[in-house]
Amino acid sequence: TIPGNPTIVNQHWLDGVMAAGQLVDLTYIDLSATTGTLRPRNGKYYFNSGTDGSTVVATDYTGDSAASTGFYAFDAVDDMMQIAAPEISDTTIHIAGSAYADNRKDLVYFAHLANTNITQAALVADRATVGSDSYYTAFFAGGIKITDPTTGLVKEISEIGDVLGIMAVTDEFGEWFSPAGTNRGVIKNALGVVNNFGTNAKFADLNVLANRQINMVVQKDGLIYLNGNYSAVLSNSKLSFLSAVRFLIWLQKSLTPTCKRYLQEPADIPTFKALFREVEPFLNNLITERAIYSYRWMGDQDIAKIEDVIINNLTDLDNGKYKVKLFLKIIPSLQEIEVDLVVTATSVNFENIN
């Protein structure tokens, strides 16, 4: 407590409020000339001059590259793996989000297909309207049921918020691990699934959805979890797996700082060797951590003289351009496990069975 009637300089008891909050600015009054006992003045103040703004429309999400609005507001951000408009299921917005991610090639756009799609056919048709054939897009559907924190009633929402949480959990294990399944893909804060394709009767439908690259949240065996691990690319390859795409994005982001440190260094064999020796332990660790089976770094690091370059050419080197080919055998995630049940006679010796 400051004795007497304080000046503006001597008043500081609300500084913490101003430092921690950004909604209210406070101004101290010079009380040095006042008389009598000081006490706070009673008052009521209302925040009644604000506005909710205009109705949100598709262009608020699709944005403008020149104005850095919508998706383009992320142009200044590199440290992220995916973006989404969690509750949105608008085709125009999904097309724009997919195109934005495909143009950047360093993140994945997560698209939510509406909870009103209650059949497999409706989901497939909805996915087709977006038409994305990109490694950098992933479709999700199913929806989840939660308790509305305001009313206490059951509320149906998009699954994307929980999917983003699943990705964060998976990243603790490694971006190359599948976010789906009952090990890392469980959603623990939901009451149920809006459109559940996880039952045995819906297996054929769930398989069709997987073949259309639609990742479903399902409810089965007492668990709610993400079932699919697919990117939106239409052709079958290791990059059909979302975990493989996320791994490559993470790998590029991880290697970039190291490679940048060698910019402006001499374009010669000692530099080629030094770069490889620095990344070699990191790449070897990816084998140990079950991201890849093996790799091969081809950057002319083992040549005897500069004229022996194979991956590079002397003209590019003269212009300060150096290329490395990094071959990777990515470990895919299991999608099927088949167990053959064979009933044999008691007399059969299992040791003789191959």
Side-chain angles (χ1 to χ4, degrees):
T1 302
I2 300 174
N5 299 336
T7 63
I8 293 177
V9 175
N10 290 331
Q11 299 180 73
H12 52 74
W13 48 81
L14 294 177
D15 289 357
V17 175
M18 289 190 285
Q22 299 182 13
L23 298 179
V24 179
D25 289 327
L26 303 170
T27 301
Y28 295 114
I29 298 175
D30 188 345
L31 301 176
S32 58
T34 58
T35 59
T37 302
L38 298 180
R39 62 177 297 277
R41 178 185 299 173
N42 296 333
K44 294 182 179 180
Y45 302 92
Y46 301 93
F47 296 95
N48 57 6
S49 60
T51 175
D52 292 333
S54 56
T55 302
V56 176
V57 295
T59 54
D60 292 319
Y61 291 93
T62 60
D64 178 77
S65 58
S68 296
T69 56
F71 292 124
Y72 297 98
F74 293 107
D75 282 356
V77 183
D78 292 330
D79 189 18
M80 56 184 174
M81 294 287 292
Q82 53 268 322
I83 59 172
E87 290 292 332
I88 301 300
S89 55
D90 182 274
T91 298
T92 300
I93 294 174
H94 286 342
I95 291 174
S98 178
Y100 177 77
D102 193 62
N103 182 64
R104 285 187 54 144
K105 293 181 170 52
D106 69 340
L107 51 80
V108 180
Y109 174 70
F110 286 1
H112 163 62
L113 300 181
N115 291 348
T116 53
N117 295 313
I118 63 175
T119 66
Q120 165 260 114
L123 285 166
V124 170
D126 196 4
R127 185 258 186 266
T129 61
V130 180
S132 176
D133 181 14
S134 172
Y135 301 119
Y136 303 100
T137 298
F139 291 96
F140 298 89
I144 59 173
K145 298 177 182 179
I146 64 168
T147 301
D148 190 309
T150 302
T151 65
L153 302 176
V154 175
K155 182 177 182 180
E156 298 179 352
I157 64 172
S158 162
E159 71 290 326
I160 291 292
D162 286 87
V163 168
L164 293 172
I166 289 171
M167 297 299 161
V169 170
T170 302
D171 289 349
E172 294 296 317
F173 294 86
E175 286 75 4
W176 50 91
F177 281 92
S178 170
T182 57
N183 291 320
R184 290 170 295 276
V186 175
I187 297 174
K188 299 180 179 180
N189 62 335
L191 302 176
V193 174
V194 179
N195 300 308
N196 185 28
F197 287 83
T199 62
N200 292 335
K202 292 287 187 178
F203 177 80
D205 287 336
L206 187 63
N207 191 49
V208 170
L209 293 169
N211 288 328
R212 299 300 189 276
Q213 308 87 34
I214 302 174
N215 304 302
M216 300 297 298
V217 170
V218 300
Q219 185 169 2
K220 186 176 178 62
D221 300 327
L223 295 174
I224 298 171
Y225 60 93
L226 177 63
N227 184 72
N229 173 37
Y230 302 103
S231 70
V233 69
L234 298 175
S235 60
N236 290 326
S237 72
K238 285 188 177 181
L239 294 183
S240 299
F241 297 115
L242 179 59
S243 54
V245 175
R246 296 182 77 246
F247 166 62
L248 289 182
I249 292 174
W250 172 84
L251 183 60
Q252 292 173 27
K253 292 177 183 288
S254 299
L255 289 175
T256 295
T258 300
C259 291
K260 281 185 175 181
R261 287 201 300 275
Y262 286 86
L263 293 176
Q264 309 306 324
E265 292 302 298
D268 60 3
I269 298 173
T271 295
F272 306 163
K273 289 181 179 293
L275 175 56
F276 171 64
R277 297 307 178 198
E278 183 168 351
V279 301
E280 185 179 23
F282 170 77
L283 296 173
N284 287 340
N285 189 60
L286 293 178
I287 299 175
T288 303
E289 295 297 326
R290 305 166 67 194
I292 56 177
Y293 293 122
S294 60
Y295 71 91
R296 185 177 181 188
W297 178 282
M298 297 179 65
D300 293 319
Q301 70 273 9
D302 295 323
I303 59 175
K305 56 184 185 299
I306 199 66
E307 290 79 11
D308 294 337
V309 290
I310 299 173
I311 303 302
N312 292 275
N313 64 73
L314 297 179
T315 300
D316 282 346
L317 289 174
D318 284 344
N319 289 309
K321 298 179 180 180
Y322 172 61
K323 180 187 294 184
V324 174
K325 288 187 177 180
L326 176 55
F327 294 86
L328 300 164
K329 293 184 180 179
I330 299 175
I331 300 176
S333 61
L334 284 177
Q335 301 301 304
E336 295 182 16
I337 297 177
E338 180 177 324
V339 178
D340 288 334
L341 303 180
V342 181
V343 178
T344 69
T346 306
S347 60
V348 171
N349 185 348
F350 292 152
E351 294 181 357
N352 298 326
I353 297 178
N354 293 323

